Amino acid sequence: MTEAELRIFVGIVKHYFEQQTGAPAAVYTPFLADPDALPVYDYTGVIGISGNRQGCVYFIAPEELLRLILSSSGETDLSPRNLADLAGEIGNTISGNARRQFGNEFLISVPLVVKGRHQTISLPKGVKAYIIPFSWQKLDASLVVSVV
Protein backbone atom coordinates (compact mmCIF):
# COMPACT_ATOMS: atom_id res chain seq x y z
CA MET A 1 0.00 0.00 0.00
CA THR A 2 1.47 3.35 -1.02
CA GLU A 3 1.18 6.65 0.80
CA ALA A 4 -1.13 7.92 -1.96
CA GLU A 5 -3.37 4.88 -1.52
CA LEU A 6 -3.51 5.42 2.25
CA ARG A 7 -4.51 9.04 1.59
CA ILE A 8 -7.50 7.71 -0.35
CA PHE A 9 -8.71 5.90 2.78
CA VAL A 10 -8.04 8.97 4.95
CA GLY A 11 -10.17 11.07 2.61
CA ILE A 12 -12.95 8.48 2.62
CA VAL A 13 -13.07 8.42 6.44
CA LYS A 14 -13.26 12.22 6.57
CA HIS A 15 -15.94 12.29 3.88
CA TYR A 16 -18.02 9.57 5.55
CA PHE A 17 -18.32 11.38 8.86
CA GLU A 18 -18.93 14.77 7.26
CA GLN A 19 -21.68 13.37 5.03
CA GLN A 20 -23.33 11.00 7.52
CA THR A 21 -23.15 13.07 10.68
CA GLY A 22 -22.45 16.63 9.59
CA ALA A 23 -19.51 16.72 12.00
CA PRO A 24 -15.99 16.11 10.73
CA ALA A 25 -13.74 13.39 12.09
CA ALA A 26 -10.20 14.29 13.10
CA VAL A 27 -8.02 11.84 11.19
CA TYR A 28 -4.49 11.32 12.46
CA THR A 29 -1.34 10.13 10.75
CA PRO A 30 -1.58 6.53 9.52
CA PHE A 31 1.10 4.17 10.76
CA LEU A 32 2.35 0.67 10.11
CA ALA A 33 1.24 -1.60 12.94
CA ASP A 34 2.34 -4.87 14.36
CA PRO A 35 -0.25 -7.34 13.01
CA ASP A 36 -0.29 -9.02 16.43
CA ALA A 37 -1.11 -5.77 18.26
CA LEU A 38 -4.01 -4.22 16.38
CA PRO A 39 -6.37 -1.86 18.20
CA VAL A 40 -9.55 -3.45 19.53
CA TYR A 41 -12.75 -1.65 20.48
CA ASP A 42 -16.29 -2.88 21.09
CA TYR A 43 -17.31 -3.49 17.46
CA THR A 44 -15.34 -4.40 14.36
CA GLY A 45 -16.76 -4.35 10.84
CA VAL A 46 -14.56 -6.59 8.68
CA ILE A 47 -14.56 -6.40 4.89
CA GLY A 48 -12.59 -8.94 2.89
CA ILE A 49 -10.82 -7.70 -0.24
CA SER A 50 -10.23 -9.90 -3.29
CA GLY A 51 -9.75 -9.51 -7.03
CA ASN A 52 -6.70 -7.55 -8.13
CA ARG A 53 -5.91 -6.82 -4.46
CA GLN A 54 -5.99 -9.16 -1.48
CA GLY A 55 -6.55 -8.51 2.21
CA CYS A 56 -9.09 -6.81 4.42
CA VAL A 57 -10.33 -3.51 5.77
CA TYR A 58 -11.52 -3.27 9.39
CA PHE A 59 -13.57 -0.47 10.91
CA ILE A 60 -13.06 -0.60 14.69
CA ALA A 61 -15.13 1.56 17.06
CA PRO A 62 -16.28 1.81 20.66
CA GLU A 63 -19.96 1.33 21.43
CA GLU A 64 -20.37 4.96 22.50
CA LEU A 65 -19.23 6.27 19.10
CA LEU A 66 -21.72 4.03 17.29
CA ARG A 67 -24.51 5.08 19.65
CA LEU A 68 -23.76 8.74 18.95
CA ILE A 69 -23.81 8.19 15.19
CA LEU A 70 -27.18 6.47 15.40
CA SER A 71 -28.58 9.14 17.71
CA SER A 72 -27.33 11.96 15.49
CA SER A 73 -29.27 10.46 12.59
CA GLY A 74 -32.46 10.28 14.66
CA GLU A 75 -32.32 6.52 15.19
CA THR A 76 -33.87 5.42 18.48
CA ASP A 77 -32.96 1.71 18.27
CA LEU A 78 -29.59 1.60 20.01
CA SER A 79 -29.63 -2.16 20.52
CA PRO A 80 -26.43 -4.21 20.22
CA ARG A 81 -27.76 -5.66 16.96
CA ASN A 82 -28.24 -2.19 15.45
CA LEU A 83 -24.79 -1.10 16.68
CA ALA A 84 -23.25 -4.18 15.04
CA ASP A 85 -25.15 -3.46 11.81
CA LEU A 86 -23.79 0.09 11.83
CA ALA A 87 -20.20 -1.08 12.33
CA GLY A 88 -20.60 -3.40 9.35
CA GLU A 89 -22.29 -0.70 7.29
CA ILE A 90 -19.51 1.81 7.95
CA GLY A 91 -16.83 -0.74 7.01
CA ASN A 92 -18.80 -1.61 3.88
CA THR A 93 -19.34 2.02 2.89
CA ILE A 94 -15.68 2.92 3.34
CA SER A 95 -14.57 -0.15 1.36
CA GLY A 96 -17.18 0.51 -1.32
CA ASN A 97 -15.93 4.06 -1.72
CA ALA A 98 -12.37 2.73 -1.96
CA ARG A 99 -13.57 0.40 -4.73
CA ARG A 100 -14.56 3.45 -6.75
CA GLN A 101 -10.97 4.67 -6.50
CA PHE A 102 -9.22 1.33 -7.03
CA GLY A 103 -11.49 0.02 -9.80
CA ASN A 104 -14.00 -2.76 -10.41
CA GLU A 105 -11.43 -5.47 -9.75
CA PHE A 106 -11.16 -4.29 -6.10
CA LEU A 107 -13.80 -6.71 -4.87
CA ILE A 108 -15.33 -6.38 -1.41
CA SER A 109 -17.13 -8.99 0.67
CA VAL A 110 -20.27 -8.55 2.69
CA PRO A 111 -19.45 -7.25 6.17
CA LEU A 112 -18.60 -9.56 9.02
CA VAL A 113 -19.04 -7.96 12.43
CA VAL A 114 -17.15 -9.04 15.53
CA LYS A 115 -18.34 -7.76 18.90
CA GLY A 116 -16.33 -7.45 22.07
CA ARG A 117 -13.03 -6.09 23.31
CA HIS A 118 -11.72 -9.58 23.98
CA GLN A 119 -11.74 -10.47 20.32
CA THR A 120 -8.63 -11.41 18.44
CA ILE A 121 -8.09 -9.86 15.05
CA SER A 122 -5.68 -11.67 12.82
CA LEU A 123 -4.42 -10.78 9.38
CA PRO A 124 -3.14 -12.93 6.54
CA LYS A 125 0.56 -13.77 6.87
CA GLY A 126 2.90 -11.37 5.09
CA VAL A 127 0.34 -8.59 4.68
CA LYS A 128 1.16 -5.28 6.34
CA ALA A 129 -1.43 -3.57 8.52
CA TYR A 130 -1.80 0.20 8.37
CA ILE A 131 -3.78 1.86 11.12
CA ILE A 132 -5.64 5.08 10.34
CA PRO A 133 -6.59 6.43 13.78
CA PHE A 134 -9.30 9.05 14.05
CA SER A 135 -11.68 10.58 16.52
CA TRP A 136 -15.22 11.81 16.21
CA GLN A 137 -16.96 13.71 18.99
CA LYS A 138 -13.82 13.08 21.11
CA LEU A 139 -14.17 9.30 20.76
CA ASP A 140 -11.32 7.30 19.25
CA ALA A 141 -11.74 4.71 16.52
CA SER A 142 -9.57 3.23 13.77
CA LEU A 143 -9.60 1.96 10.26
CA VAL A 144 -7.19 -0.91 9.62
CA VAL A 145 -6.15 -1.33 6.00
CA SER A 146 -4.30 -4.52 5.22
CA VAL A 147 -4.28 -4.85 1.43
CA VAL A 148 -1.62 -5.92 -1.08
Side-chain angles (χ1 to χ4, degrees):
M1 179 118 310
T2 67
E3 184 178 332
E5 290 170 332
L6 280 174
R7 275 189 257 141
I8 289 170
F9 282 98
V10 167
I12 291 169
V13 169
K14 288 180 179 179
H15 180 76
Y16 176 86
F17 281 90
E18 186 67 43
Q19 291 297 315
Q20 297 299 317
T21 69
V27 181
Y28 308 110
T29 303
F31 60 93
L32 186 59
D34 177 351
D36 296 322
L38 297 176
V40 177
Y41 292 109
D42 299 314
Y43 290 89
T44 303
V46 181
I47 306 296
I49 306 299
S50 62
N52 64 352
R53 305 304 274 287
Q54 304 293 315
C56 53
V57 174
Y58 295 6
F59 169 76
I60 306 170
E63 182 174 317
E64 187 177 355
L65 183 138
L66 296 170
R67 285 179 178 278
L68 279 174
I69 292 172
L70 287 175
S71 295
S72 73
S73 67
E75 178 61 62
T76 57
D77 179 1
L78 304 178
S79 67
R81 181 180 178 151
N82 217 20
L83 296 173
D85 286 348
L86 179 58
E89 177 186 320
I90 292 171
N92 191 52
T93 300
I94 289 171
S95 298
N97 288 336
R99 184 171 191 248
R100 289 188 195 128
Q101 297 293 319
F102 291 105
N104 290 337
E105 292 300 314
F106 186 87
L107 304 176
I108 62 174
S109 71
V110 296
L112 168 69
V113 177
V114 181
K115 182 179 182 292
R117 287 186 179 257
H118 301 292
Q119 63 192 328
T120 301
I121 299 173
S122 59
L123 299 172
K125 294 282 185 200
V127 180
K128 295 180 180 177
Y130 293 91
I131 309 296
I132 302 172
F134 65 93
S135 66
W136 181 75
Q137 303 292 40
K138 299 182 182 178
L139 295 167
D140 294 332
S142 295
L143 187 71
V144 177
V145 180
S146 183
V147 177
V148 292

